[in-house]
Amino acid sequence: MRQSSRPLYVLAALVLGAALLTPPPAYAQADKDDDSGSATIVRSRAPDPKRKTLVKNKFFVKANRLEITPRFGYISNNALNSEVMLGLGLTYHFSERIGLEIAGDYAFLGSTGNTKNLALAVLRLLDASFRLESVDPGMFVTASLIWYPMYGKLNPFASAVINLDFFFTLGLGYGNEMIEMLAHEPQEQCLDPGENPGVNCDLGFEGQSLGAEPEINHMFLFNFGFGAKVYLAKMVSLRLDGRLYLTWDSVLDFDTEEAAAQNRGLGQLANRLQCGVNPDAACKTVFPTSFVLSAGLSFWVPGDKAARRSAGKRR
């Protein structure tokens, strides 16, 4: 009997040891004891993964605020002209993610003085009677929806915290451009140096707009872009963005010999504005674009405290 009962003792000892070694449910002690002096024990649980605010203690709030942004821009994809723009944008933010922007930009270089050196060099290689159609953007007025998909903080080299927003824009508006007919012709200032002492009589080249004054082409356009805002203070931010303005237009067609010969018969000063007006013009539809890189300082109203109070009331 004693030998047969030993396995039962061994099994009972193993069950008891397993029970003693099994860890109890996780408990956490509260930060403060209750009035009785005994510690309050609560069950621990994982944090709620569905938090509404992932970035806490936001430095900047945008909801119900107006952003006023004077800015400078540069058109980077114009093949013939260098153009700098001065603009102003007004953006009202309905929430932290959505805003509506009304903006206007004006190109203040204009005329033939901003023709690029490469275009002048090409004209020098061509016959003096050749006229080059130049398109110089003049103004953009747009209404755009602005969307902020990301807000974040950066701490480069553990020296400063940079608060910034990334945004996208999409909208439509009005634009116009100056149509100029450019040429380079040798300008003879005198026939005999002895006749006009002190006057340079070399044959030079002078860029000029020939014929009538530059004409304005009016356009309906779309725009979309992207950028970032870096918040420098509670009411000031640095805005950097790139924006593409897209439209469609009818231009003189020189792709085929037949169309080119037809358009040459219109005269040297014929340009895209002949399309839709002159029945003898051979035209095609194109989709020109202007890509503008801009930077500006944004000023926000009302102030930060008023904006936070308004946000608190909405909650």
Side-chain angles (χ1 to χ4, degrees):
M1 292 294 293
R2 290 182 181 179
Q3 292 181 350
S4 62
S5 62
R6 286 183 179 179
L8 295 177
Y9 296 147
V10 173
L11 180 60
L14 292 175
V15 172
L16 180 60
L20 293 176
L21 293 177
T22 300
Y27 291 89
Q29 183 173 345
D31 292 336
K32 296 182 180 179
D33 296 340
D34 57 16
D35 296 337
S36 63
S38 61
T40 302
I41 305 300
V42 297
R43 289 183 176 271
S44 63
R45 59 185 178 87
D48 185 5
K50 298 181 180 180
R51 292 177 296 173
K52 295 182 179 180
T53 304
L54 298 181
V55 179
K56 294 186 176 180
N57 300 323
K58 291 184 66 174
F59 174 77
F60 204 90
V61 295
K62 302 184 294 294
N64 289 351
R65 298 182 79 179
L66 178 66
E67 178 187 7
I68 305 170
T69 311
R71 62 192 184 195
F72 285 95
Y74 173 72
I75 299 179
S76 62
N77 66 328
N78 193 306
L80 299 179
N81 301 293
S82 298
E83 193 56 78
V84 178
M85 309 196 80
L86 177 63
L88 178 67
L90 302 176
T91 307
Y92 182 78
H93 295 82
F94 300 99
S95 68
E96 292 296 312
R97 294 195 178 271
I98 300 295
L100 177 64
E101 178 196 65
I102 306 296
D105 296 274
Y106 175 75
F108 58 85
L109 293 183
S111 187
T112 58
N114 61 339
T115 304
K116 291 183 177 179
N117 291 333
L118 179 59
L120 299 178
V122 170
L123 284 172
R124 288 189 179 98
L125 299 175
L126 300 174
D127 186 84
S129 63
F130 183 82
R131 303 294 181 263
L132 178 65
E133 180 184 292
S134 170
V135 177
D136 198 359
M139 179 188 299
F140 299 129
V141 179
T142 58
S144 306
L145 186 69
I146 182 168
W147 173 54
Y148 300 86
M150 291 180 287
Y151 169 87
K153 300 180 180 182
L154 297 178
N155 186 15
F157 308 109
S159 59
V161 176
I162 299 175
N163 296 266
L164 72 165
D165 264 313
F166 296 96
F167 63 88
F168 293 92
T169 63
L170 177 66
L172 47 83
Y174 160 82
N176 65 38
E177 57 191 9
M178 304 299 295
I179 307 299
E180 303 167 328
M181 300 304 293
L182 300 179
H184 257 78
E185 292 184 319
Q187 305 296 317
E188 188 175 3
Q189 299 185 20
C190 63
L191 297 176
D192 186 354
E195 296 177 0
N196 297 290
V199 178
N200 182 10
C201 295
D202 293 336
L203 294 180
F205 291 93
E206 181 181 354
Q208 55 185 328
S209 179
L210 300 180
E213 290 295 322
E215 300 178 81
I216 299 179
N217 187 24
H218 303 276
M219 305 173 297
F220 179 82
L221 52 84
F222 296 95
N223 80 91
F224 59 91
F226 59 92
K229 296 180 182 180
V230 181
Y231 300 108
L232 307 178
K234 295 292 186 179
M235 295 183 65
V236 181
S237 61
L238 173 65
R239 174 172 175 158
L240 306 170
D241 71 69
R243 193 167 302 194
L244 186 69
Y245 296 87
L246 172 67
T247 186
W248 65 92
D249 203 359
S250 293
V251 302
L252 297 179
D253 185 5
F254 289 92
D255 291 345
T256 65
E257 186 58 36
E258 181 181 358
Q262 183 176 343
N263 288 328
R264 291 191 190 101
L266 301 176
Q268 292 181 337
L269 299 180
N271 56 52
R272 66 183 62 196
L273 297 179
Q274 298 286 323
C275 296
V277 177
N278 191 339
D280 296 328
C283 301
K284 65 178 181 179
T285 300
V286 295
F287 299 91
T289 60
S290 295
F291 186 65
V292 181
L293 299 171
S294 64
L297 279 179
S298 296
F299 303 92
W300 297 73
V301 291
D304 179 74
K305 292 183 179 179
R308 292 182 184 274
R309 284 197 300 267
S310 176
K313 290 179 181 179
R314 292 196 309 273
R315 291 171 186 162

